[in-house]
Amino acid sequence: MISRQLVLTYLYLLIYVCLSSGVILFNKWVLSPKYFKFPFPITLTMIHMAFSGVVTFFLVRVFKVVAPVKMTFQIYATCVIPISAFFASSLWFGNTAYLYISVAFIQMLKALMPVATFIMAVLCGTDKLRWDLFLNMVLVSVGVVVSSYGEIHFNIIGTLYQVTGIFAEALRLVLTQVLLQKKGLTLNPITSLYYIAPCSFIFLFVPWYLLEKPEMDVSQIQFNYWIFFLNAVAAFALNISIFLVIGRTGAVTIRVAGVLKDWILIALSTIIFPESVITSLNIIGYAVGNYAFNFI
């Protein structure tokens, strides 16, 4: 007999894989000038943050599903604000990359995440430089370089956006560990978004006002409220599912599930977006990177 807990674990993993893949493909479709034609990644990210902030406000303050943590100004200024800044940056740069490069290539570049996290952890003093890990990182990097060399529609701007987003996300993860644990704070999925989403929205407002607002012609924008509402709901659900999976299975399991998700997503993206072409060098490079990744 399969236990109920095991069934729930696999169900959470399935939900995470489906939501993660769905949000990535959904964002690509919305932002792509070839499909929905809404090439404003900062605006889309701000919609996600605004929606998450409003929903979590009602869950925490109105319906009292969860209780807010004891948040002082010092903790907010030294923890929430820097974490929100890098969270906003990772989403901004990551979503902007969809304008320039394919979903498949983006997933291959994400193999750099453990490398970026390791570098940031060493710089922040939470990890030590170990030669066995360093050699694995080099192998992962070689795999990404091979994948990049094999990319037919390689775009340096899109690649730089994605890599910058990866390092911003890595720094956010390290800061979360350093700052929140040092303060003894434990945030669940809802309270995390309750504090971080509004602050991230404010950080995104400045680049939006300077970069996207002058380019936005309201008369030419295709703004379907149902599309953006469903997109925001999917992004919110994904954030919740990540915390649920980590809480039930741990970071190692979600890392393995993420590798499986990436392979599925690469295959799906070539079907949904015909312009995404995968070469043998792409596959070899990504396989090498993942092989080294599994030993980290």
Side-chain angles (χ1 to χ4, degrees):
M1 291 288 292
I2 301 176
S3 68
R4 181 172 177 271
Q5 294 299 320
L6 185 61
V7 171
L8 282 176
T9 298
Y10 281 112
L11 179 61
Y12 285 160
L13 286 171
L14 178 62
I15 291 172
Y16 159 71
V17 170
C18 291
L19 283 173
S20 181
S21 302
V23 168
I24 290 171
L25 294 172
F26 201 168
N27 286 348
K28 173 67 175 180
W29 180 78
V30 169
L31 294 169
S32 175
K34 293 183 179 180
Y35 298 97
F36 189 70
K37 301 178 181 179
F38 187 81
F40 302 106
I42 304 177
T43 306
L44 184 67
T45 308
M46 288 177 68
I47 292 172
H48 292 170
M49 293 299 98
F51 180 85
S52 296
V54 171
V55 171
T56 52
F57 174 82
F58 277 95
L59 291 175
V60 174
R61 293 298 182 183
V62 179
F63 299 109
K64 302 186 185 301
V65 175
V66 294
V69 301
K70 186 178 180 181
M71 182 67 65
T72 64
F73 176 79
Q74 181 185 10
I75 294 176
Y76 194 87
T78 58
C79 296
V80 175
I81 289 179
I83 290 171
S84 300
F86 287 106
F87 183 51
S89 299
S90 67
L91 294 173
W92 166 19
F93 292 122
N95 283 336
T96 303
Y98 291 121
L99 298 177
Y100 302 95
I101 54 182
S102 68
V103 172
F105 186 45
I106 285 174
Q107 296 311 118
M108 293 175 187
L109 288 175
K110 284 182 179 179
L112 280 173
M113 178 56 77
V115 179
T117 305
F118 176 69
I119 292 173
M120 292 304 174
V122 171
L123 292 177
C124 292
T126 62
D127 206 342
K128 294 182 179 179
L129 182 61
R130 291 164 39 197
W131 286 108
D132 55 339
L133 276 179
F134 177 77
L135 292 176
N136 277 331
M137 300 301 177
V138 171
L139 191 55
V140 170
S141 301
V142 169
V144 172
V145 170
V146 172
S147 294
S148 302
Y149 185 77
E151 175 66 15
I152 293 177
H153 303 295
F154 180 80
N155 183 287
I156 185 64
I157 296 177
T159 302
L160 287 176
Y161 267 119
Q162 183 58 41
V163 172
T164 304
I166 288 171
F167 274 88
E169 174 65 9
L171 188 52
R172 180 190 75 85
L173 293 173
V174 174
L175 283 177
T176 300
Q177 178 183 357
V178 173
L179 298 178
L180 293 185
Q181 288 185 1
K182 185 179 292 185
K183 300 294 183 180
L185 289 180
T186 302
L187 299 179
N188 61 46
I190 296 174
T191 53
S192 294
L193 289 174
Y194 172 73
Y195 291 109
I196 291 173
C199 191
S200 295
F201 180 91
I202 294 173
F203 274 110
L204 289 166
F205 182 82
V206 176
W208 172 81
Y209 187 83
L210 296 175
L211 300 175
E212 287 192 359
K213 184 178 180 294
E215 302 293 329
M216 297 180 75
D217 186 347
V218 179
S219 63
Q220 296 180 2
I221 293 176
Q222 181 177 239
F223 200 94
N224 186 310
Y225 289 96
W226 280 110
I227 293 294
F228 287 102
F229 174 74
L230 291 174
N231 185 260
V233 169
F236 177 77
L238 173 61
N239 286 326
I240 298 297
S241 73
I242 291 173
F243 285 98
L244 288 175
V245 171
I246 292 177
R248 175 168 287 271
T249 65
V252 174
T253 303
I254 198 172
R255 188 172 73 172
V256 175
V259 172
L260 175 62
K261 179 262 298 180
D262 288 343
W263 281 108
I264 294 173
L265 191 52
I266 289 171
L268 282 176
S269 66
T270 59
I271 298 172
I272 298 173
F273 305 110
E275 69 273 13
S276 299
V277 180
I278 298 178
T279 66
S280 57
L281 273 179
N282 284 145
I283 298 298
I284 292 172
Y286 188 60
V288 169
N290 269 295
Y291 176 78
F293 171 78
N294 289 328
F295 286 93
I296 295 175

